[in-house]
Amino acid sequence: MNSSSAKPRKPGHAATLADVGRAAGVSAMAASAVLNGARTSARISDETRERILEAARQLNYRPNATARALTSRRMNTLGLATTLKREELNQYFLEVFSGVMEAGAELGQNTTVFALEDWHRQAARIPAFCDGRIDGLILLAPQLDEQEAQRLPDHTPILSIHSNVLIPGVINLEPDDEAGAQAMVTRLLGMGHRRILHLAGPEHSLGARRRVQGYLRAHALAGLAPPPDYVVDGEFTADSGRRRLEQWLDQHRGEELPQAIFAGNDSMAIGCLDVLVARGLQVPQQISLVGFDDTQLARSARLATVRQPLRDLGQRAARLLVASVDAKLGEGPAPDITNVVLPTELVDGATLGAPRSASLLIR
Amino acid sequence: MNSSSAKPRKPGHAATLADVGRAAGVSAMAASAVLNGARTSARISDETRERILEAARQLNYRPNATARALTSRRMNTLGLATTLKREELNQYFLEVFSGVMEAGAELGQNTTVFALEDWHRQAARIPAFCDGRIDGLILLAPQLDEQEAQRLPDHTPILSIHSNVLIPGVINLEPDDEAGAQAMVTRLLGMGHRRILHLAGPEHSLGARRRVQGYLRAHALAGLAPPPDYVVDGEFTADSGRRRLEQWLDQHRGEELPQAIFAGNDSMAIGCLDVLVARGLQVPQQISLVGFDDTQLARSARLATVRQPLRDLGQRAARLLVASVDAKLGEGPAPDITNVVLPTELVDGATLGAPRSASLLIR
DNA sequence: GTGAAAGCGCTAACAG
DNA sequence: CTGTTAGCGCTTTCAC
């Protein structure tokens, strides 16, 4: 047996454990024991161990992750499922993703992203993600109905962020949408704003609905009622913000211009800003504009907004999910949490000012 | 043998091929053949096939990706390695990533992201990514020296975007940095700007250096020379843009204010904008500001910038990489491309205007 | 101290 | 047409 010559593999093949063993003149599992620092390795002679380590170094040995996963039932990879539109980058995703990556990396986890075009249309793809390539799955702002939620696989730990429905057995993390919206609108009202247009997110988004509730409650608590038709549904994208505001302004031509716009999220606010600038309206002198989320867009546009702790949400999600995975593999206690609601806070910006005193009509 | 009863597995285990076979009263490989639609399956009786399909449906069978990968040597997953700073989200990454996801998804590929803190310090981690969990790796704006490049594993196809060095055997995609910078500066000069401060990216970034070259060449071609100390190195982050500009302005107090700032990328430009606004300077009436990249930040801040086709870069990367993977597995020809340079284009914005006529001193 | 054997879930190449 | 066998690379258990 040519056990001495470490035969060079043609490029295209990684060295295997057997290769290392062969090169070191030992069995593959002796190599395995040494390279894993397993307790078995204590019972291997120092000389042999050295030879094995040297051979591994020479051959540039890297354990194959898929083979390892097959036995350990673990890939050390987290999945993050989200909708990513072709047209517009999702800043909300980027913030959460970055938190997941960060906390995941600290726990030795990689992150794989699954992009869905639409939760309802593609819900059937979710079980396919849980085919062993990831150990746990984070659903980012999923919109599933009861039925779809029931069909989620139960052999892979799942966690949702900002979910539309509470899914049994699935931890959910979310910001306090209603309180955040209420605080922002209360602030606007406190500054004297009375005609506050709310460009809301989509009808089917629970978070969007809660922000509307906050908007309404702030008014109610102040003993006020928003003007009629002052809540408009949109899509959580800049393009939607742009189009909906245009449309609304066209429909309300000749009426008094709102004193402020409270957009359902930062992207929509950016879309609104485009429209206002295009119409030559001065922000915030003639009209104030605030968003929701506190993504980087808000910071770059100097937008006043409601901060939700997106990065923190992502970090917590990763940590809780890893704990769930550990628990499933019998390596720790399962997190005894089901639903976490994180607080929001108001963020100042250049787009928020006192309401104008003069009357200004939409044209 | 209790071959008839599909014994319900305790949750926590996915159904295996053997389970399906057992439930259908056939062998695992009969099940495999049917479920893969392999040509072998043509030779299985319709009745058996039905039973197998039914059992699979009942058990909610999903083939295990890691087991499959072990034989097929393919995970259908692309890796994307990048630096992600804790403090600041990388918009450049988001754009490219989104292109990779998009084109990858069309080819049935998932995307796993690997975050490095620093290319040099963590270059040694790269081979570990290529341990079978991904089929090919994209290096996003890597900064490797010759030695580190040599140590890249050769058993996994690798492709770089905007690489610092041309790595043998690694396809590289990049924008035409120099031409883009030159075009922008030529435009500024054409509008009458003469004192154009260039806040460049880091010294060790080839892209940043090329942008400086473009800046200088534009001047040279116009028969002009930039004022002394008008090229300043920075870090490609908003924070760096902020700090470096502050610093520079402090050092040049009492001198004439630049007429324009050409930032090395959009993030830096946003940082500059913060400083200018904080100092009460009007953009673009008193000073123009332009960036580079055309990320979403530019759009939200209405920043004039140089567009590099980041998304397209990502898409091409994914397609070329998949082709390389196919080729490696003997399923197609290898792409015969080594280096692709994509054109840039100028993007208008609200931060670019004619140079002020009045003199204005830094204070 | 070290090696042999079995198995993770799947597929491919054979026999029956 | 169907079942058996072997093996992908690794780990774990158990003899030696």
Side-chain angles (χ1 to χ4, degrees):
Chain A
M1 291 60 174
N2 53 358
S3 62
S4 59
S5 72
K7 63 177 167 190
R9 315 206 49 147
K10 64 180 178 202
H13 279 84
T16 150
L17 210 41
D19 293 333
V20 174
R22 209 172 300 130
V26 298
S27 70
M29 30 94 9
S32 168
V34 168
L35 294 168
N36 286 327
R39 42 188 195 298
T40 332
S41 73
R43 309 193 321 237
I44 285 181
S45 75
D46 281 3
E47 195 254 344
T48 310
R49 138 190 266 91
E50 251 331 305
R51 246 185 314 140
I52 292 174
L53 289 173
E54 181 52 27
R57 214 171 300 128
Q58 288 282 329
L59 294 175
N60 237 304
Y61 170 75
R62 304 279 158 192
N64 179 300
T66 61
R68 193 172 251 185
L70 198 52
T71 53
S72 72
R73 314 191 145 280
R74 183 149 198 173
M75 274 293 279
N76 290 307
T77 299
L78 303 180
L80 179 58
T82 181
T83 48
L84 279 186
K85 298 238 188 307
R86 282 169 183 271
E87 321 83 46
E88 203 172 309
L89 297 186
N90 190 335
Q91 297 286 329
Y92 168 87
F93 158 78
L94 180 58
E95 305 262 351
V96 175
F97 168 77
S98 147
V100 171
M101 286 289 299
E102 205 173 305
E106 279 169 11
L107 297 165
Q109 307 297 304
N110 292 124
T111 305
T112 293
V113 180
F114 303 101
L116 298 167
E117 286 178 6
D118 176 283
W119 286 99
H120 290 303
R121 259 186 300 127
Q122 304 207 303
R125 284 181 56 205
I126 298 176
F129 302 156
C130 304
D131 61 357
R133 77 184 58 214
I134 57 168
D135 305 316
L137 180 62
I138 297 171
L139 306 177
L140 183 55
Q143 312 221 331
L144 300 174
D145 59 34
E146 291 279 334
Q147 262 204 351
E148 290 160 344
Q150 299 252 308
R151 292 215 199 87
L152 291 176
D154 55 358
H155 58 268
T156 300
I158 296 184
L159 180 152
S160 63
I161 293 179
H162 228 152
S163 176
N164 221 35
V165 293
L166 278 184
I167 309 169
V170 171
I171 299 176
N172 183 59
L173 310 185
E174 60 187 10
D176 195 340
D177 287 299
E178 180 167 346
Q182 184 183 323
M184 178 55 98
V185 176
T186 296
R187 166 118 178 238
L188 287 167
L189 292 171
M191 292 171 76
H193 291 274
R194 284 301 172 270
R195 304 176 62 84
I196 306 168
L197 176 65
H198 181 33
L199 264 187
E203 170 97 48
H204 49 267
S205 158
L206 182 58
R209 289 311 101 191
R210 286 193 176 138
R211 291 171 200 180
V212 174
Q213 289 310 315
Y215 168 90
L216 294 174
R217 177 177 300 243
H219 280 83
L221 287 177
L224 298 166
D229 199 22
Y230 256 55
V231 175
V232 185
D233 286 353
E235 284 290 322
F236 274 158
T237 62
D239 191 49
S240 160
R242 211 172 289 126
R243 285 198 322 252
R244 291 311 171 99
L245 180 57
E246 274 291 6
Q247 202 177 324
W248 191 90
L249 290 172
D250 284 349
Q251 284 167 353
H252 294 260
R253 197 168 305 216
E255 298 177 18
E256 183 75 13
L257 184 75
Q259 294 160 315
I261 298 177
F262 170 33
N265 73 357
D266 290 342
S267 295
M268 296 180 84
I270 297 298
C272 290
L273 192 55
D274 283 348
V275 172
L276 299 177
V277 168
R279 295 200 172 212
L281 291 167
Q282 291 177 327
V283 180
Q285 292 82 1
Q286 298 182 318
I287 184 167
S288 284
L289 174 65
V290 301
F292 202 109
D293 282 356
D294 192 32
T295 54
Q296 257 201 352
L297 289 191
R299 278 161 259 166
S300 66
R302 324 181 62 72
L303 186 71
T305 191
V306 180
R307 171 167 206 280
Q308 52 166 319
L310 295 175
R311 200 140 168 178
D312 187 28
L313 238 33
Q315 292 179 347
R316 284 171 190 252
R319 294 199 193 102
L320 284 167
L321 191 54
V322 170
S324 305
V325 173
D326 287 344
K328 198 198 108 190
L329 296 178
E331 294 171 2
D336 58 349
I337 289 175
T338 60
N339 200 9
V340 181
V341 179
L342 299 181
T344 58
E345 87 193 57
L346 300 187
V347 175
D348 262 335
T351 58
L352 172 56
R356 67 179 181 278
S357 43
S359 164
L360 186 56
L361 302 187
I362 301 169
R363 44 179 203 139
Chain B
M1 295 58 174
N2 53 1
S3 64
S4 59
S5 73
K7 62 177 166 191
R9 317 206 46 145
K10 62 179 179 202
H13 279 84
T16 150
L17 211 41
D19 293 334
V20 174
R22 209 174 299 129
V26 298
S27 71
M29 29 92 11
S32 168
V34 167
L35 293 169
N36 287 327
R39 42 187 195 298
T40 333
S41 72
R43 310 191 323 233
I44 285 181
S45 76
D46 281 2
E47 195 253 344
T48 311
R49 140 190 264 91
E50 251 330 305
R51 248 185 312 141
I52 292 173
L53 289 173
E54 181 54 26
R57 215 172 298 128
Q58 289 281 332
L59 294 174
N60 238 304
Y61 170 76
R62 303 277 158 195
N64 179 299
T66 60
R68 196 172 248 184
L70 199 51
T71 53
S72 72
R73 315 194 145 281
R74 183 149 198 174
M75 275 291 279
N76 289 306
T77 299
L78 302 181
L80 179 58
T82 180
T83 49
L84 279 186
K85 298 238 188 308
R86 284 172 179 269
E87 321 83 46
E88 204 172 309
L89 297 186
N90 191 335
Q91 297 286 329
Y92 169 85
F93 159 78
L94 181 58
E95 305 263 351
V96 175
F97 167 76
S98 150
V100 171
M101 285 290 298
E102 204 173 303
E106 279 169 11
L107 297 166
Q109 308 297 302
N110 294 122
T111 305
T112 293
V113 180
F114 303 101
L116 299 168
E117 287 178 6
D118 176 283
W119 285 100
H120 289 303
R121 259 186 300 126
Q122 304 206 305
R125 285 181 55 206
I126 298 174
F129 303 155
C130 305
D131 61 358
R133 74 185 60 216
I134 57 169
D135 305 317
L137 179 62
I138 298 171
L139 306 178
L140 183 55
Q143 312 221 331
L144 301 174
D145 59 34
E146 291 278 333
Q147 263 204 350
E148 290 159 345
Q150 298 253 307
R151 292 213 199 90
L152 291 176
D154 55 357
H155 58 270
T156 299
I158 297 184
L159 180 152
S160 62
I161 293 179
H162 227 150
S163 176
N164 222 35
V165 293
L166 279 183
I167 309 169
V170 172
I171 298 175
N172 183 60
L173 309 185
E174 61 186 9
D176 195 339
D177 288 299
E178 180 166 347
Q182 183 182 324
M184 179 54 98
V185 175
T186 296
R187 169 119 176 237
L188 287 166
L189 291 171
M191 292 171 76
H193 291 274
R194 285 300 173 271
R195 304 174 63 84
I196 306 169
L197 176 65
H198 181 35
L199 265 186
E203 170 98 46
H204 49 268
S205 158
L206 183 57
R209 288 313 100 191
R210 286 196 177 135
R211 291 172 200 178
V212 174
Q213 288 312 315
Y215 167 91
L216 295 175
R217 178 178 300 243
H219 280 84
L221 287 177
L224 298 165
D229 200 22
Y230 256 55
V231 175
V232 185
D233 286 353
E235 283 291 322
F236 274 158
T237 64
D239 190 50
S240 160
R242 211 173 289 126
R243 286 197 323 252
R244 291 311 171 99
L245 180 55
E246 275 292 5
Q247 202 177 325
W248 190 90
L249 290 173
D250 285 350
Q251 285 167 353
H252 294 259
R253 198 168 305 215
E255 297 177 18
E256 183 74 14
L257 183 75
Q259 293 160 317
I261 298 177
F262 170 35
N265 73 355
D266 290 341
S267 295
M268 296 181 85
I270 297 297
C272 291
L273 192 55
D274 284 349
V275 172
L276 299 178
V277 169
R279 296 201 171 210
L281 291 168
Q282 293 178 324
V283 179
Q285 292 80 2
Q286 298 182 318
I287 184 167
S288 284
L289 175 65
V290 301
F292 201 109
D293 280 358
D294 193 32
T295 55
Q296 259 201 351
L297 290 190
R299 278 161 258 166
S300 67
R302 324 181 62 70
L303 185 72
T305 191
V306 180
R307 170 167 206 281
Q308 51 165 320
L310 294 176
R311 199 139 168 179
D312 187 29
L313 237 33
Q315 292 179 347
R316 284 170 190 251
R319 296 200 191 99
L320 284 167
L321 191 54
V322 170
S324 305
V325 174
D326 287 344
K328 197 197 110 187
L329 296 177
E331 293 170 3
D336 59 349
I337 289 175
T338 60
N339 200 9
V340 181
V341 179
L342 298 181
T344 58
E345 88 194 55
L346 300 187
V347 176
D348 262 335
T351 57
L352 172 55
R356 66 177 184 279
S357 42
S359 164
L360 186 57
L361 301 188
I362 301 170
R363 46 179 201 141

